[in-house]
Structure formats: C-alpha cells, structure tokens
Amino acid sequence: MASPLLSISAAPNPIPSLQTHQPIAAATPSVSLSRDSWTHSLRANIQSGHFHQAISTYVHMTSSGVAPDHFAFPAVLKAVAALQHLALAKQVHAHVLKFGYGASSVPVANSLLNVYGKCGDIWDVYKVFDRIPHSQRDTVSWNSFISALCRADDWETALESFRLMLLDNVEPSSFTLVSIAHACSNLPRHHGLRLGKQLHGFSLRMGDTKTFTNNALMAMYSKLGHLNDAEMLFELFEERDLVTWNTMLSSLSQSDMFLEALLMLRRLVVQGLEPDGVTIASVLPACSHLELLEIGKQLHAYALRHYILINNSFVASALVDMYCNCRRVQSGRRVFDSSMAKSIALWNAMITGYAQNEHDEEALTLFIEMEAAAELCPNATTMASIVPACVRSEVFVHKLGIHGYVLKRGLGTDHYVQNALMDLYSRMGKIQISKAIFESMDVRDIVSWNTMIVGYVICGQHENALLLLHEMQRVEQENNGSSYEHEKRIPLKPNNITLMTVLPGCATLVALEKGQEIHAYAVRNMLASDVGVGSALVDMYAKCGCLNISRNVFDTIPSRNVITWNVIIMAYGMHGKGEEALELFNRMVKEVKPNNVTFIAVFAACSHSGMVSEGLNLFYKMKDEHGVEPTPDHYACIVDMLGRAGQVEEAYQLINDMPSELNKVSAWSSLLGSCRIHQKVEIGEIAARNLFLLEPDVASHYVLLSNIYSSAQLWDKATDIRKRMKEKGVRKEPGCSWIELDDEVHKFIAGDASHPQSGQVYGFLETLSEKMRKEGYVPDTSCVLHNVDEEEKEALLCGHSEKLAIAFGILNTPPGTTIRVAKNLRVCNDCHEATKYISVITDREIVLRDVRRFHQFRNGRCSCGDYW
C-alpha cells in the first residue's frame, strides 16, 4: 500500500494543488492579509505540526494575489519536507523560479536542498547546490548538502564534501559534525574508526562539547565496535540529556551487554529522568534475551501508564519480541492486536515470534493476512522468519514454491533470506542447493557459515561440516582476496552457535582430537562456560568414549539446564552405567524439571544395564510424580528394556496395551530388534507385519526379519524377504565405521577396498585371525545372512567395517594407544567376540560405539558384560 504522504488522495487532509485557479478547499479569509501575516500564519501551522494546513495556507496566500518571498518559501518548504512529498516540492520549486528567488536567495536554496534531501531526490540536491554561487554557500548550505548525501547512504561523498567545506573556510557547526559522525559509523570498521577519531579530535579543537555532538560521537563509537570509547565519552561529560542515555542504552543492548543495559536504565531513573518510548524500546531486548519476563511486564505497565504505546510501533514490536522470546506468545499477540499503528516491523515481530516458538500455522496465517488484509509487502525480515515456518509446517506443502516467491519479491540476494533458504533446503535433504546458495552469496556472515555447517550435520555429512569449519577459520585468518571483500568487516570467529553445531559431528565421527581442539578454543575464547557449548562438550566426550572427561566438563558448567542433565544421563546409560544414571536423575529433579528426553535417557540407561524393575517403576509414576505424559518413544524404550532382558512376551503385551491414539512404529521396531537377539520367530513376524504396513519403505525392518530367519536357518524365508526388498527398491544401509587419525577422519564401509591402505588392513586382519584362532576364537557365521559355505561366510565376516577400522587404527598408532571407533549400526556378535581377542593379542584398549551403546574392550573383556 502506498504511503499516505506519497499519495495525495490518501492523505488525512488532501493536499491542494498549487494551481491557483483550482477551487480552494477551505474558506478564504474575508479580510485581505499582508504578506507578513500570511508568513506568520504559515510558521504557526508548522510549529503546531499542522503541515497540511500550512500547505493550504500557502495556496490561499498565492490565490489572494500575495506573492511569496524569501521568508514564505523556507516556511512552506519546511512543511513539504515534513510530508516528504516530492511532487509538491517540485511545484514549490517552480514557484521559487517563477518569483525570481532561484539564485538570489541562499535561505530559499538551502530549504530546497533540505526538502529534496528528505524526499530522496539526490540529483536535484546536486543541481540546487551547484547553482548556489560558490562564494554564497554558507554553513547551512553545506550541512543540508552533506545531510542529503548521508540520507542517500553516500558516505564517502559526504566525507569528501566535509573536506571541501573546510577548504572553502566555511565554519562547521554541531549539525555538520553529527552528519559526519554518522557517515564514519557506516564505513568499514578500521577506516571508519580512524576517520571518526580524527573527527572527535577536530570537535575538541573547535571547542564543541555540545550534548548533541557528543551523542553522535557515542553512537559512532558504538556502531564501530568500540563500546568502551562510547562509555568513556558518556562518563566524561555531564550535560547528558535523555537522548544521551538512550544512545548508551541502545548501544549496550545492540552489543549484547544486556545486564549492563538494565543497570544503565536504573541509573537513568535514579537521576530523575523519565524514560520515553526510545528508552523502553532500547531496554526491552535485554529482558527478551535474558528472559526476564517480570521486568518486561513492568516496562509494559510503564508504557501503558505513560501512553507510550499509542501509535508507537517500535515499543509494540519490542514488547511482542520480549513476550515471544519468553514463550508467552499469546501475550505478544494481545500487544499486537491492541496496537493502533501496525508497521511492517510489528507484523514481522509477531510472525517471527510465532515462527521461533514453532507455531508455524499461525505464522503462515498472519503472513497471508499481512499481505491480503493489511496490504503490506513483505521485506527481507519477513521472509527470513517465514521460510523456517514453511519448511516445518506439514500443512504447507509447496515448500519449494517459497523460493520462487522470494525471487519474485526481489529478495533473493538478501543474505538473511539466503541463510533461511539454505536452512530450508538442508532440512529437505537438498544439501547441494544449500551449498550453491552459500557459494553464490556476496556477503557471508557468521550466521551463513553456521547455517551451512548445520546443514551438513542435518544431512549426516559430518566430515563436510568439519571441513567447512576449517575453511571458515582459514578465511578469518587470511581475510583477504576479492571474493571475501565484505567479510573484512564481518568477524568470522566461531561463536557458541558454531561450536554447538560442529561438536556433534566430532561425536558422531569419534573425532576426539578435533573435539579437544574445539574445547581448547572454547576455553581461550570464554565460551566453555556457555551452557549450550558445555552441554555439547559433555556429549562429545561421552560419545568419544571419555566418560570421565565428560563428567569433569559437566561438573565445571556453572549453570546447567535440562539439556545438560539429559546429556550426562544419556552418557552414563550408553556406557552401561545404569545405577549412576539413576543417581544423576535423582539429583537432577532437585534442580530442574525433567522433560520427555530425560525419561528416554533414563529408560535407555535401565535397558542397557538390565535394570528392568527400576525402569518400570519410573515409567508408571512419571506422569503423577513428574507431570510428563508417556509418549510413543517412552513406550518404545520400555519395550526395548523388556525385550533386551528376554521378556519378549511382556514387551509384546505392553504394545497391545498402549493407548490406541499413540503411534506404535518405534515400539514395534524395538520388539523386532529384541526378537532378533532372542530368536523369537513368531513374535518377530507379528512385529514385522505391523511395521511393513506402517513403514513399508524402511530397510531396517526387512533386514531384522531376514536376520531372524537366517539365524533360525530359515533360508527360504530369508531369501523371500531379500527378494521383497529388491522388488520394492528398498536398500539396506551399509555398515560404516569411522576412526580419527592425525586430525583426519577415516571411513570404512563393509566389504569395501577403496581406502589407500586396504591391502595392508586386510592382510593384517588375516594375520590377526590366525592368532585369534590359536587363542580359541571361533567365527560366529550365524551373523552372515547369505546361504553360502562356511569359508565364504568367514571371508565376509572379515570385511565388516568395524574390524577394518580397528585394524587400520592398530597399524597406524604406537603400541598402547587406545583405539576409538564409531559404527552406524549395531555391532554383530562375531565382531563383538573378535574384538575381545584383538584387545588381548595387541594389548590395546578398544572403544567401539555402535548405534545403541558403548563397548570398551580391555584384556579380553567388554564393559557391556555381553549384555547389549
């Protein structure tokens, strides 16, 4: 919708044309007024903010035959500038020329510079300025010209004009310095800071210590990343007004110094100043980020008592953001609905609030309403918020269409929108498109890099995630070359989000050395105490088999949330330490409220440790004592616990007793896995039939049933299942194992010989096999699912991915080094037994993490006690 100021028909009081032969809207005064009286009336209207009435007065003046002069023109041009009405400005300019003031009056020319600058017509600014005689350009002329250049974001030209002004021996004023400080703040940081300090020194030499100037210098230092200089300037001068305090408050909030912003607000109030709308809008982000809901409510109440919210969309937007960030979305919506003036920023705040809280349908509905009912065009902020809602929403099916919409709106090159699109394609599994967007970006900020790293992690490409982290660090170190021109201004040091994103990749790949390197970086950069980074480190060390280090990191985290507790409980469970996991749970409930994931972690711990009665006891009281309703995942964990302990019939009965509205896929899958362990063919077939109906395209269901048949030597049925998989185009996920060596992750796939050292690895395994047989090892050929002779089965067992990785590790590390391997599937019986023998023969500790749990082999024994 067009702005009221730019559409004459939409204005509250339609602006009459300057054509004097047109009918006059208001009654013409019956008494003939002098030129001075008309001019006085013009100025009175402007001082009262009645700009449309001032234009009408000017029309009456000219239609009454009174010629405007060099006093009347600046007055009416001031009204036009306030309305930012370019067409009207050109009409008044025509009158200026008509009445002979085009070149003879500098004040009139200065007013024309001002009005064209505020209307955004920079070329007419140049024309008017060039026509002012060189010798007659005064301080106001230069100030108006420089201000117009700043409005047009032409910072370099503004600075050059300041230099020319000084060469012309025209004395700058405070207004000049304010414009130049603003220009410096928008230059690349190093260049802007150098010139900004020169400007500050110039102002001191001029003796300009006006509050107006100091406020601009404070804002400049803050924007250029030198908040300490801004604070020092704030403390040094005493003539502070509310703008000074607001500048400091805004600077602190924008620098993420939220606690300091709240303390600054307290100082402001103690000084006896009354906060205004800018104050409230500046400090509310602190309440939002620190989730200080009560303080936010107090600020809301203050805004209501002092009528600050009336037609103030900035405060309304900040309130919506605060409530939504504190997970009070309905309160945010009430603020939105009660706001009289709904700007695009307010719509964006509400849409973002819905999207951040994953109220995706509401976000999409409001987005449609914004366009259809409010007739507002979405901007980059709108699209950056709505794209994540589109990818998550099951209702919104045209996910790829949103990219086309973005391009149609001309927002495809905005880097915030590009970040959102990268995330969309990653979550859809189209990582190559995400990569193409990333590589095409002109500006890559830290969010861009983090988003691409997250994309690789989401798509399971952990190696690429780590490689991109290396590339990010290389760009930060080199910081040169034309392709990274914009990034010279954008710090690319990995932040807490980067570390939280990439550490799970280290955990998945058992990349302990890389994880330790990241830990050291976190300590050096004061990020290790961040609860998100700390939780990710606890998880990484646990999944790399370093449970003691994981616990040490956990104990040093100053503030632990539910995620931190869940991670450490899950860690002990994966390592088969169920009793310790339960002890941690009992400690946890005294500090934080457990959630769904907590109980999944505890039940998994009970399952891996055979603690059936403890797990069942907690399951049946989780709702009454902890307020957590059992979900399908909880039932699946209990089924797994019962089935792993050999209570397959009880597990089957539990599935039958599940509430009918719950999805039973995970529970049937757990039961099928138990049937594989305990060779329960009949119940396994029941579980498989249900899974084939619910998830006909999931390969693991077919594989497990085939395993059950093969173990029972029902070869025909096993063959039928494999044939059925082939007919449906369902492919079994190949066994894959990873091992880290010299900061590089090596990947081995079952039966694959593509690794450069494959020949050595297979040869070494043959030698090991001979030694193992002498020690009593007998290959468990029941793990081979093909009806082939025993010799061929043994050859197939030799090619399992975990054996290849273990052999590679032994070959390439000094004696006594611990071998750490991760596998994407459950370790088979034969590999489990063989690794016991390998640990004795090579005198190595071997840590193997499969998809379920950890196995620590030492001196021929496994930490799982053969219970897995």
Side-chain angles (χ1 to χ4, degrees):
M1 186 176 73
S3 168
L5 299 180
L6 299 181
S7 173
I8 292 178
S9 61
N13 298 299
I15 304 172
S17 167
L18 299 186
Q19 300 287 339
T20 56
H21 61 268
Q22 284 193 344
I24 304 301
T28 306
S30 56
V31 180
S32 178
L33 298 177
S34 67
R35 179 185 293 164
D36 289 345
S37 298
W38 283 110
T39 303
H40 176 77
S41 180
L42 268 173
R43 290 172 174 167
N45 284 324
I46 291 165
Q47 287 172 0
S48 302
H50 300 149
F51 303 117
H52 291 86
Q53 186 60 41
I55 303 298
S56 295
T57 300
Y58 176 78
V59 172
H60 297 326
M61 172 184 175
T62 54
S63 62
S64 298
V66 178
D69 61 4
H70 60 286
F71 295 111
F73 279 125
V76 72
L77 284 168
K78 189 172 184 179
V80 176
L83 297 172
Q84 296 183 12
H85 199 298
L86 181 60
L88 199 54
K90 289 182 179 291
Q91 291 183 58
V92 177
H93 192 178
H95 277 204
V96 167
L97 297 174
K98 176 181 176 182
F99 289 102
Y101 290 95
S104 62
S105 174
V106 174
V108 174
N110 292 343
S111 297
L112 285 167
L113 286 172
N114 179 56
V115 72
Y116 281 129
K118 289 186 176 178
C119 290
D121 188 348
I122 193 65
W123 297 115
D124 276 323
V125 170
Y126 274 109
K127 290 176 185 176
V128 172
F129 185 76
D130 287 342
R131 287 171 185 167
I132 302 174
H134 197 75
S135 60
Q136 294 183 28
R137 293 173 184 164
D138 58 13
T139 301
V140 177
S141 307
W142 283 100
N143 284 352
S144 299
F145 183 57
I146 291 170
S147 177
L149 291 168
C150 288
R151 284 178 178 275
D153 295 347
D154 194 349
W155 315 114
E156 295 285 359
T157 307
L159 289 164
E160 177 64 15
S161 300
F162 177 57
R163 188 182 68 82
L164 293 172
M165 176 183 181
L166 296 177
L167 289 175
D168 277 358
N169 295 315
V170 179
E171 184 75 17
S173 67
S174 292
F175 293 99
T176 323
L177 302 185
V178 167
S179 292
I180 298 304
H182 183 52
C184 290
S185 70
N186 284 281
L187 295 174
R189 181 168 295 181
H190 179 75
H191 183 43
L193 188 63
R194 179 175 59 83
L195 294 178
K197 286 184 175 181
Q198 292 178 23
L199 177 69
H200 191 180
F202 180 84
S203 72
L204 293 174
R205 289 196 301 274
M206 280 179 60
D208 188 338
T209 58
K210 293 185 179 68
T211 302
F212 186 57
T213 307
N214 284 326
N215 291 344
L217 289 169
M218 283 168 52
M220 176 196 75
Y221 280 125
S222 173
K223 191 170 182 182
L224 291 170
H226 276 240
L227 187 59
N228 289 340
D229 289 331
E231 288 182 286
M232 188 178 298
L233 192 56
F234 174 83
E235 299 295 349
L236 281 175
F237 76 95
E238 297 180 359
E239 299 300 320
R240 307 181 191 121
D241 59 9
L242 187 57
V243 176
T244 314
W245 288 90
N246 287 345
T247 300
M248 202 64 238
L249 275 170
S250 177
S251 299
L252 289 167
S253 285
Q254 290 173 10
S255 300
D256 293 347
M257 298 179 69
F258 303 117
L259 185 59
E260 291 82 354
L262 290 170
L263 292 172
M264 183 66 69
L265 174 66
R266 185 177 182 278
R267 283 181 63 186
L268 180 154
V269 174
V270 169
Q271 291 284 332
L273 294 171
E274 280 198 5
D276 63 1
V278 177
T279 318
I280 303 300
S282 297
V283 82
L284 276 170
C287 301
S288 175
H289 284 83
L290 299 176
E291 298 188 23
L292 297 173
L293 180 62
E294 290 307 313
I295 296 177
K297 285 181 176 179
Q298 292 175 33
L299 292 169
H300 188 181
Y302 178 91
L304 290 171
R305 285 197 308 272
H306 292 79
Y307 306 103
I308 290 173
L309 269 177
I310 297 175
N311 293 325
N312 193 325
S313 65
F314 293 106
V315 176
S317 300
L319 280 168
V320 168
D321 177 73
M322 185 274 297
Y323 279 119
C324 291
N325 211 50
C326 292
R327 293 174 294 282
R328 297 292 191 275
V329 182
Q330 290 306 314
S331 297
R333 183 59 193 254
R334 282 193 290 271
V335 173
F336 175 82
D337 289 337
S338 62
S339 181
M340 301 296 292
K342 290 187 175 71
S343 65
I344 184 70
L346 182 56
W347 285 90
N348 286 345
M350 194 66 246
I351 290 170
T352 302
Y354 275 136
Q356 286 178 343
N357 286 275
E358 298 191 7
H359 296 184
D360 299 320
E361 280 69 40
E362 291 89 339
L364 288 162
T365 301
L366 195 64
F367 172 70
I368 294 168
E369 184 182 335
M370 183 184 84
E371 278 206 284
E375 298 183 0
L376 290 172
C377 288
N379 59 16
T381 304
T382 322
M383 299 314 302
S385 299
I386 205 66
V387 168
C390 293
V391 72
R392 286 191 305 262
S393 174
E394 295 180 3
V395 176
F396 186 81
V397 294
H398 303 293
K399 301 187 189 302
L400 295 179
I402 198 70
H403 193 174
Y405 179 88
V406 163
L407 296 176
K408 180 182 176 182
R409 287 291 182 188
L411 300 170
T413 56
D414 180 273
H415 81 279
Y416 294 108
V417 178
Q418 289 174 317
N419 291 342
L421 288 170
M422 283 160 54
D423 181 68
L424 176 142
Y425 283 113
S426 298
R427 294 183 188 280
M428 294 177 65
K430 300 178 182 293
I431 192 66
Q432 290 304 317
I433 300 179
S434 296
K435 184 181 178 184
I437 294 172
F438 178 76
E439 291 178 346
S440 71
M441 294 176 75
D442 293 326
V443 178
R444 298 178 190 146
D445 60 8
I446 187 69
V447 178
S448 309
W449 289 87
N450 286 348
T451 302
M452 194 64 228
I453 291 171
V454 169
Y456 280 129
V457 172
I458 289 171
C459 294
Q461 298 186 22
H462 301 286
E463 299 100 321
N464 286 334
L466 290 173
L467 288 172
L468 193 62
L469 175 63
H470 279 297
E471 174 68 8
M472 176 181 172
Q473 292 172 305
R474 185 189 66 77
V475 171
E476 170 66 11
Q477 289 168 0
E478 293 182 0
N479 206 18
N480 58 31
S482 59
S483 60
Y484 297 110
E485 179 183 353
H486 293 282
E487 290 173 340
K488 293 178 182 178
R489 294 183 58 195
I490 303 172
L492 292 180
K493 288 181 67 176
N495 59 13
N496 59 331
I497 305 297
T498 318
L499 304 193
M500 289 162 56
T501 299
V502 80
L503 279 168
C506 298
T508 299
L509 301 174
V510 198
L512 180 60
E513 290 181 19
K514 173 54 68 176
Q516 289 173 324
E517 180 185 321
I518 293 170
H519 189 182
Y521 174 90
V523 171
R524 288 196 306 273
N525 291 274
M526 308 295 288
L527 295 172
S529 59
D530 178 88
V531 65
V533 175
S535 301
L537 284 167
V538 170
D539 181 61
M540 183 275 294
Y541 279 117
K543 288 181 177 174
C544 288
C546 303
L547 185 59
N548 290 336
I549 301 177
S550 177
R551 180 59 183 267
N552 289 339
V553 173
F554 173 83
D555 289 337
T556 59
I557 298 174
S559 176
R560 297 186 284 258
N561 61 16
V562 66
I563 297 173
T564 319
W565 283 99
N566 290 347
V567 166
I568 194 67
I569 291 170
M570 187 74 76
Y572 274 91
M574 285 188 70
H575 283 265
K577 297 183 180 295
E579 291 183 4
E580 291 87 341
L582 269 179
E583 287 176 12
L584 284 164
F585 172 77
N586 291 328
R587 276 184 57 195
M588 171 190 179
V589 295
K590 296 174 183 176
E591 292 188 27
V592 298
K593 181 179 171 59
N595 60 13
N596 287 340
V597 179
T598 312
F599 288 96
I600 291 172
V602 176
F603 295 150
C606 292
S607 178
H608 293 309
S609 299
M611 298 167 61
V612 177
S613 60
E614 293 88 343
L616 286 173
N617 180 50
L618 187 59
F619 176 71
Y620 287 118
K621 67 181 184 183
M622 61 187 283
K623 180 180 178 182
D624 294 335
E625 292 192 7
H626 302 286
V628 178
E629 189 81 34
T631 67
D633 288 334
H634 296 128
Y635 276 96
C637 286
I638 299 301
V639 168
D640 180 74
M641 181 183 70
L642 290 168
R644 197 179 296 271
Q647 300 179 32
V648 179
E649 289 77 10
E650 289 83 349
Y652 175 47
Q653 186 58 48
L654 181 64
I655 295 176
N656 291 329
D657 294 339
M658 282 176 66
S660 58
E661 68 273 10
L662 293 184
N663 188 319
K664 297 184 179 182
V665 169
S666 296
W668 285 119
S669 182
S670 294
L671 183 64
L672 186 59
S674 300
C675 293
R676 161 70 179 91
I677 296 170
H678 299 288
Q679 298 184 18
K680 298 285 186 177
V681 177
E682 186 178 342
I683 296 178
E685 288 177 329
I686 295 170
R689 279 199 297 271
N690 281 280
L691 288 168
F692 293 160
L693 288 172
L694 295 168
E695 290 185 334
D697 298 322
V698 175
S700 61
H701 306 328
Y702 297 91
V703 172
L704 280 171
L705 183 58
S706 177
N707 288 355
I708 292 170
Y709 286 145
S710 297
S711 296
Q713 297 190 1
L714 299 172
W715 300 113
D716 290 342
K717 288 190 174 183
T719 302
D720 288 341
I721 292 296
R722 288 197 295 274
K723 186 184 297 183
R724 189 171 174 183
M725 286 179 68
K726 189 174 182 180
E727 289 171 355
K728 286 183 168 290
V730 178
R731 296 178 61 85
K732 175 184 179 294
E733 183 181 6
C736 182
S737 295
W738 296 268
I739 183 171
E740 184 188 35
L741 179 68
D742 296 331
D743 207 24
E744 182 181 351
V745 175
H746 296 260
K747 181 178 180 180
F748 293 89
I749 299 174
D752 183 39
S754 60
H755 191 277
Q757 287 186 246
S758 287
Q760 292 174 267
V761 168
Y762 278 100
F764 181 64
L765 279 174
E766 287 182 17
T767 303
L768 268 181
S769 182
E770 292 175 10
K771 293 179 180 180
M772 287 157 57
R773 287 175 187 276
K774 290 177 182 178
E775 296 294 328
Y777 164 68
V778 178
D780 184 356
T781 56
S782 68
C783 298
V784 178
L785 308 180
H786 301 279
N787 189 13
V788 294
D789 60 49
E790 289 297 306
E791 187 176 342
E792 191 171 347
K793 286 182 180 180
E794 290 181 22
L796 289 170
L797 289 173
C798 188
H800 280 195
S801 65
E802 57 267 57
K803 285 180 183 171
L804 298 175
I806 290 168
F808 172 81
I810 295 169
L811 279 171
N812 290 278
T813 56
T817 305
T818 299
I819 305 298
R820 301 178 190 278
V821 173
K823 186 180 180 182
N824 64 333
L825 304 175
R826 183 180 182 273
V827 62
C828 74
N829 292 347
D830 179 72
C831 287
H832 189 269
E833 190 66 20
T835 308
K836 291 182 190 177
Y837 283 93
I838 295 172
S839 71
V840 173
I841 293 168
T842 62
D843 192 24
R844 298 286 191 114
E845 179 184 356
I846 300 171
V847 180
L848 173 61
R849 191 193 77 224
D850 68 11
V851 72
R852 292 282 187 172
R853 61 161 298 155
F854 267 93
H855 303 270
Q856 290 180 289
F857 299 92
R858 186 184 293 133
N859 299 324
R861 294 183 179 180
C862 179
S863 60
C864 74
D866 295 338
Y867 185 86
W868 88 101

